[in-house]
Amino acid sequence: MNHEFADRVKRLPQYLFAEIEKVIKEKKAQGIDLISLSIGDPDLPPPPLVISALKEEVANLKNHNYSLSQGEPDFRQAVADWYKKRFHVDVSQDEVIALLGSKEGLANIARAFVNPGDHVLVPDPSYPVYSNGSTILNDGVPVPMPLLQENGFKPDLEAIHLEEAKMMFLNYPNNPTSATINKKFLKQAVEVAREKNIILCYDNAYSEITFDGYKSPSILEIDCAMDVAVEFHSCSKTFNMTGDRIAFAVGNKQLISGLAKVKSQIDSGPPVYIQKVASKALESYKSAEQPAFLKKTNQTYAERRDVLVDYLRSMDFMCDKPKATFYVWLNCNSSSIEFTTKLLSVGVAVTPGTGFGEHGENYVRFSLTQPKERIVEACKRISALFGCADSQ
Ligand SMILES: Cc1ncc(COP(=O)(O)O)c(C=O)c1O
């Protein structure tokens, strides 16, 4: 028997998060009190309305059949209604598709449109799925677009060689840098994509995790974006439903239909009851304003962010307070792996920036997915490690 992995699988780098999870498990098994600020999985529960809807929809025996591959019409309508309320953008049901998490959609979109050898522009650093699950596993060639601090962690779209690119991924609010953008940048991205005939995949998974009055725009608010773009949203971070695997993409009809065509041969969409629950969660928006549950969630993250950033600053690290996401991206002024290993020695797990690409070197990512007391405890351990008096 020949059990050799296919070449495209051999080309995959190690999935860093799986490696980190392994180390965390090992440390915990050794009885070490490990504070994990590494993985982006919220510690907060879904809102009560999600839990009660889940109980109700699971109990409905009609909700256990196959879904339509593109998703249930009611769910797609709930997404369209949410777009109207949240972004003031009109979309139709055939411009919406239900996803088994946005990760799945981000991976499958390339399967629908990328031919072997096609170039795919991928931010560096970035969520690894754009480069790996999406591009490499579909025999495309990832072309990194550096995200530099001096450019506000935005790619320099004028400097990038765009001619041969078939697809481009962008993600704001950004993981891992937590950078945000304004509509001017989105306008430039849409113009470039239209001019160079590039499919623009816009990952807006953190659109609702925002602070200090910042509101994340949709790329579909930009004129003519519908010609070239597909935007990905997720209930994972918005409603703390990471394990329920429900997300959606909205955009150009041809792009959505390509994704639906691929998915119809691979999966049969998210469970009907999960789509019904997600519809109810989206319906909790009565206007562009966030529902009370999200305001509270964001307040919790903002408090944790303040504690962490204030501590880091007191240790003389330069660190911005992000306006969105539950990440803090720290320039650690040293090798990101060495810095991570140092923190692990005092039982604090963070993610080395290099796990997100070459330009993540000298950075580490903290996730604000632990209660404030644990973040304070982590900060105290880090202060002690660097010989700083605990001034907080
Ligand atoms: C930028 C970004 N996009 C997409 C995802 C995938 O989320 P999900 O598949 O749970 O919707 C994540 C998860 O961490 C992420 O950070």
Side-chain angles (χ1 to χ4, degrees), residues 40-46 240 300-301 304 368-372:
D41 194 355
D43 61 316
L44 303 168
N240 299 331
T300 303
Y301 287 136
R304 294 174 180 182
L368 300 165
T369 49
Q370 290 283 335
K372 196 158 114 186

Side-chain angles (χ1 to χ4, degrees), residues 98-349:
L99 301 171
L100 290 153
S102 55
K103 183 180 196 178
E104 173 264 300
L106 291 161
N108 278 326
I109 190 89
R111 191 183 281 258
F113 295 100
V114 170
N115 285 315
D118 277 351
H119 287 190
V120 177
L121 296 162
V122 174
D124 178 352
S126 71
Y127 181 54
V129 173
Y130 313 139
S131 177
N132 301 344
S134 193
T135 307
I136 293 178
L137 281 187
N138 290 302
D139 297 322
V141 178
V143 177
M145 299 187 288
L147 302 189
L148 306 178
Q149 190 153 7
E150 58 264 34
N151 296 336
F153 297 112
K154 294 192 293 282
D156 181 351
L157 295 175
E158 280 166 17
I160 292 161
H161 187 64
L162 301 157
E163 306 306 331
E164 289 159 39
K166 178 79 192 263
M167 186 173 268
M168 178 196 292
F169 285 96
L170 288 175
N171 160 231
Y172 295 95
N174 184 259
N175 174 16
T177 68
S178 61
T180 50
I181 41 79
N182 55 25
K183 285 196 201 162
K184 192 172 159 219
F185 173 76
L186 293 185
K187 196 162 173 279
Q188 190 196 5
V190 168
E191 275 165 13
V192 158
R194 276 165 55 86
E195 197 183 309
K196 307 286 183 195
N197 205 13
I198 297 171
I199 297 168
L200 183 44
C201 297
Y202 192 74
D203 182 355
N204 213 342
Y206 295 89
S207 68
E208 306 313 291
I209 310 299
T210 55
F211 324 112
D212 308 336
Y214 178 74
K215 255 183 167 290
S216 171
S218 161
I219 198 148
L220 300 179
E221 289 177 51
I222 306 301
D223 281 348
C224 303
M226 218 18 144
D227 294 348
V228 286
V230 57
E231 177 163 270
F232 295 82
H233 283 277
S234 175
C235 295
S236 290
K237 323 286 172 169
T238 306
F239 301 112
N240 299 331
M241 293 173 71
T242 49
D244 295 310
R245 311 312 297 140
I246 178 78
F248 49 93
V250 182
N252 178 277
K253 230 180 264 183
Q254 169 73 1
L255 298 178
I256 295 292
S257 75
L259 187 49
K261 197 163 184 175
V262 165
K263 281 172 62 60
S264 70
Q265 300 295 333
I266 296 178
D267 65 67
S268 301
V272 173
Y273 53 86
I274 295 289
Q275 294 184 55
K276 295 209 163 167
V277 172
S279 300
K280 288 184 181 170
L282 290 171
E283 283 158 10
S284 66
Y285 274 74
K286 301 300 171 207
S287 66
E289 199 183 326
Q290 293 186 330
F293 152 78
L294 256 165
K295 284 186 186 159
K296 204 164 153 231
T297 300
N298 287 338
Q299 196 184 335
T300 303
Y301 287 136
E303 281 169 17
R304 294 174 180 182
R305 170 202 67 174
D306 291 347
V307 164
L308 178 63
V309 171
D310 290 347
Y311 254 103
L312 291 170
R313 285 178 179 169
S314 76
M315 288 178 241
D316 285 340
F317 286 109
M318 305 271 279
C319 190
D320 287 333
K321 273 196 182 167
K323 288 202 195 80
T325 77
F326 43 63
Y327 303 116
V328 169
W329 185 238
L330 175 73
N331 185 337
C332 60
N333 293 316
S334 57
S335 139
S336 63
I337 294 280
E338 276 171 28
F339 192 85
T340 305
T341 310
K342 225 171 171 176
L343 263 51
L344 262 183
S345 73
V346 291
V348 177

